[in-house]
Amino acid sequence: MSVAIKLVSCAKTFADGTRAVGPLDLEIPPGETIVFLGPSGCGKTTTLRLIAGLESPNPGGRVLFDEADVTEISIERRNVGMVFQSYALFPNMTVGGNVEYGLRVRKLPAAARAARVEEMLGMMKIGELRHRRVDQLSGGQKQRVALARALAPQPRVLLLDEPLTALDAKLRDALRVEIDALLRRLRMTAVYVTHDQAEAMALGDRIVVMSQGQVAQVGRPRDIYFAPQSRFVAEFVGTMNRLHGVVRNGHLEVMGGRVPWRGRGGGEVEVLFRPERAAIVEAGAGQVKGRVATSFFLGDRTRLLVEGVSSGTLVVETTDRRDWEPGQDVHLVIDPDALLTLDR
Amino acid sequence: MARLVAVAAGGPAGLAAYGVIVTEPRYLRSLVSTVVLAAVVTALTLVIATIAGVFLQRNRFPGRSVLVAMLTFPLAFPGVVVGFMVIMLAGRQGLIGDLTRLVTGERLVFAYSMAGLLTGYLYFSIPRVILTVMAAAEKLDPRLEEAARSLGASSWQVVRDVIVPGLRPAFLSAGAICFATAMGAFGTAFTLATEIEVLPMTIYTEFTLRANIVVAAALSIILGGITWLALALARTAAGSSVAASA
């Protein structure tokens, strides 16, 4: 059922001359959930639309479904399921009518249509909404209907364009878990576009981080997080701290102290590390010392913005229950293995 | 209004004045042809204006804004001028006549027939509707069409299931006003209607030339009634506001 998708030197330049997507090559094995992640305008949605058939690549670019070239096949014959941020439900039809639509245009017999609609509504747990008008639904219900509608005709691939962005945080988390379970169960090739890195981490078998129409990095969520290949990826995914200093005698010397240096090179460097790789310790036990600039109590933990360690502020998180005040001294130990040197 | 009703009912035949409209073939013919003309004009206008309006909304090409501006020209002309233009186009000395004589040897003259009236009515109806359709088409969510296409809908299925339902409120309001305007149009009919008579013309003739005030009043009430009914029906169907002042 599910297909492999292959993009071969796909570029997209719009009529006004802007290059939205770079020439890019990408292979998505069957059954994989791949997430395009990037800031707005990075070309992730355009890439999704190239796969869908809503845009065609510049001459030379090709889109393959299981080795079959579908570049010239328009979206209505590509058999793809699409889910949009704005839901895009047909307002002139009921919930059932929306779900049935893809089956109706395929001219399936009425009995088969009814059975499939029933099945889809049951799967999305919205059976009781069948006769409702779509303007009577909540955002979460609308997106369930949109998913049921997209899946009803048994598409070869499911394409989701920021499906959760319009929902509030709690609902977003709940529906994300559900979408994840759904994709695992269906084993359907799915392409998911988002600018939310937490969503990307949670859903993606692999993540494609995009920047300015180009692929910045492709990899499993943990690879992207732990081994970013560029500054852009490092700073876009999760939070990154910068340390600016000089390497001397096996240590990186910064404004607030010194950290053991295991890397190569010397002289003036700038390194990055994740907040969770720094620990707050008692005075005297720390490698570096700084001052609390601001503290945010988040319930389960406290986030501190620390200044005086390096030129900028560092983000450090702690689960201790101390009441951190601005101006207070903070002593930190930074795991030397956590320091990333990225040249680009 | 009330005085008009009173005049119509207060004639020698009383309320039977209304009956005359049905029994007298001339009045009935005038009434039927007016309603038919207005209905046909409305239907054709909606079809033409929808195709043109959606096209103009979706496509950007050199001269587009000039074309859109020119489309609003007819709004500025009184009906008499529109009728005059139809005569210039399809009258005995008209452009189409000259052209057809060159090609077939015979002059095609339709300015004074139903076709001529239709041409004139379409000319002043289309701009009103096209602007409404363009405004409505702009508000259509392009994602809806994309969703329909992703589900396998062909171009015409997209038109039938997404675009037409999306434009329905615009069709109802613009169509109702188009119908009302066509029912009451006088100037164009006055210039062109030598072979057929439309209701406003009949009212004029009865009132000024025959001084048959009772029938003129009854016809006026009927004309107003039909028009009002069309607007009311559209308003009910749209479920929202449609300007009742046409």
Side-chain angles (χ1 to χ4, degrees):
Chain A
M1 191 63 228
S2 57
V3 294
I5 302 169
K6 204 162 156 187
L7 300 180
V8 184
S9 59
C10 274
K12 180 67 191 177
T13 308
F14 286 117
D16 61 359
T18 49
R19 167 66 67 93
V21 175
L24 61 86
D25 294 270
L26 188 67
E27 278 189 54
I28 306 167
E32 184 179 74
T33 301
I34 198 157
V35 178
F36 291 163
L37 174 68
S40 61
C42 72
K44 55 190 191 298
T45 294
T46 307
T47 312
L48 184 87
R49 291 169 67 85
L50 285 170
I51 296 172
L54 287 167
E55 307 282 356
S56 40
N58 295 353
R62 290 192 302 146
V63 180
L64 305 168
F65 281 11
D66 272 347
E67 301 304 318
D69 194 330
V70 296
T71 317
E72 299 300 319
I73 295 179
S74 59
I75 182 170
E76 47 270 37
R77 293 190 295 121
R78 257 187 219 195
N79 196 10
V80 294
M82 284 203 84
V83 176
F84 299 90
Q85 180 184 339
S86 59
Y87 320 118
L89 297 178
F90 306 125
N92 49 316
M93 300 176 200
T94 59
V95 166
N98 268 278
V99 178
E100 191 186 10
Y101 188 73
L103 309 169
R104 219 175 69 214
V105 296
R106 280 176 174 74
K107 304 209 164 41
L108 254 68
R113 294 203 309 251
R116 182 73 181 155
V117 169
E118 198 64 47
E119 186 190 342
M120 287 298 109
L121 293 175
M123 185 176 81
M124 295 313 300
K125 304 186 193 78
I126 45 173
E128 74 284 1
L129 302 178
R130 185 175 191 149
H131 301 291
R132 289 267 194 96
R133 284 193 0 223
V134 296
D135 57 8
Q136 298 168 324
L137 305 178
S138 70
Q141 290 172 329
K142 281 182 184 169
Q143 207 52 293
R144 281 163 199 273
V145 176
L147 275 162
R149 180 181 67 176
L151 292 169
Q154 297 183 304
R156 295 195 287 174
V157 0
L158 185 62
L159 308 171
L160 306 111
D161 189 1
E162 307 233 7
L164 304 180
T165 305
L167 303 174
D168 61 65
K170 246 196 179 126
L171 200 54
R172 194 158 58 219
D173 288 345
L175 203 51
R176 186 182 73 196
V177 171
E178 242 179 280
I179 290 178
D180 189 46
L182 188 71
L183 293 174
R184 305 273 154 246
R185 195 162 78 240
L186 296 172
R187 295 178 187 287
M188 182 181 279
T189 314
V191 183
Y192 191 106
V193 164
T194 183
H195 65 269
D196 179 341
Q197 45 110 5
E199 224 169 276
M201 294 280 177
L203 278 169
D205 292 323
R206 281 194 305 156
I207 296 176
V208 179
V209 185
M210 293 188 71
S211 163
Q212 297 177 345
Q214 298 290 341
V215 173
Q217 190 172 346
V218 185
R220 295 182 308 148
R222 46 181 52 245
D223 297 336
I224 300 277
Y225 190 81
F226 292 129
Q229 286 165 3
S230 64
R231 277 171 182 278
F232 172 78
V233 174
E235 290 182 343
F236 187 75
V237 179
T239 310
M240 268 294 178
N241 287 316
R242 279 166 189 259
L243 278 183
H244 190 87
V246 180
V247 175
R248 202 176 290 144
N249 306 325
H251 281 85
L252 170 65
E253 299 184 354
V254 294
M255 206 194 296
R258 53 185 216 157
V259 184
W261 178 251
R262 305 229 173 112
R264 280 166 300 167
E268 212 169 309
V269 292
E270 189 176 63
V271 296
L272 306 169
F273 69 96
R274 300 272 182 209
E276 66 269 22
R277 306 301 291 270
I280 296 174
V281 293
E282 293 303 316
Q287 298 159 342
V288 294
K289 195 184 101 176
R291 264 184 332 279
V292 175
T294 323
S295 73
F296 301 98
F297 177 61
L298 303 175
D300 55 341
R301 61 213 142 94
T302 308
R303 179 175 297 159
L304 305 177
L305 298 189
V306 178
E307 58 187 14
V309 177
S310 186
S311 45
T313 51
L314 301 182
V315 179
V316 181
E317 290 188 344
T318 172
T319 51
D320 68 29
R321 297 189 170 189
R322 254 192 287 175
D323 202 357
W324 291 93
E325 297 289 343
Q328 219 173 324
D329 281 348
V330 200
H331 302 272
L332 299 173
V333 170
I334 300 166
D335 183 349
D337 292 326
L339 300 180
L340 293 168
T341 323
L342 293 170
D343 299 323
R344 56 192 180 88
Chain B
M1 268 292 270
R3 174 127 178 82
L4 211 56
V5 177
V7 167
L15 283 172
Y18 290 98
V20 172
I21 294 162
V22 186
T23 50
E24 168 68 46
R26 200 166 65 86
Y27 300 144
L28 187 63
R29 212 182 315 125
S30 163
L31 177 65
V32 169
S33 58
T34 309
V35 172
V36 169
L37 177 68
V40 170
V41 164
T42 305
L44 279 178
T45 303
L46 284 179
V47 171
I48 296 169
T50 303
I51 295 169
V54 172
F55 177 83
L56 284 171
Q57 183 54 46
R58 298 279 164 94
N59 295 281
R60 292 287 178 270
F61 50 87
R64 175 185 171 274
S65 49
V66 177
L67 192 62
V68 172
M70 273 173 62
L71 274 169
T72 58
F73 251 137
L75 294 176
F77 296 136
V80 179
V81 177
V82 174
F84 182 47
M85 285 159 83
V86 172
I87 292 174
M88 303 259 278
L89 186 73
R92 292 189 188 90
Q93 311 294 322
L95 189 65
I96 290 178
D98 289 346
L99 284 177
T100 48
R101 198 175 54 130
L102 281 176
V103 178
T104 63
E106 249 180 72
R107 269 182 177 282
L108 179 64
V109 175
F110 62 82
Y112 313 102
S113 67
M114 194 67 160
L117 263 187
L118 207 59
T119 311
Y121 277 44
L122 280 178
Y123 182 72
F124 68 71
S125 297
I126 288 172
R128 295 163 204 265
V129 178
I130 225 169
L131 295 177
T132 314
V133 169
M134 280 178 70
E138 195 181 0
K139 292 206 188 82
L140 288 179
D141 181 2
R143 297 282 173 268
L144 281 181
E145 287 169 49
E146 292 176 358
R149 289 177 63 203
S150 77
L151 291 165
S154 63
S155 308
W156 92 264
Q157 281 169 328
V158 170
V159 170
R160 184 194 63 187
D161 299 327
V162 177
I163 297 180
V164 169
L167 294 177
R168 200 180 109 95
F171 286 161
L172 285 169
S173 66
I177 288 171
C178 179
F179 181 80
T181 315
M183 283 293 292
F186 180 74
T188 311
F190 189 70
T191 334
L192 295 175
T194 52
E195 291 169 22
I196 40 166
E197 230 177 310
V198 293
L199 213 49
M201 284 284 299
T202 313
I203 295 170
Y204 173 78
T205 317
E206 291 304 321
F207 183 65
T208 55
L209 303 183
R210 303 189 184 182
N212 193 349
I213 293 166
V214 173
V215 171
L219 284 171
S220 305
I221 294 294
I222 296 282
L223 176 68
I226 292 174
T227 311
W228 176 84
L229 195 67
L231 288 169
L233 281 176
R235 198 168 29 208
T236 318
S240 56
S241 60
V242 174
S245 55

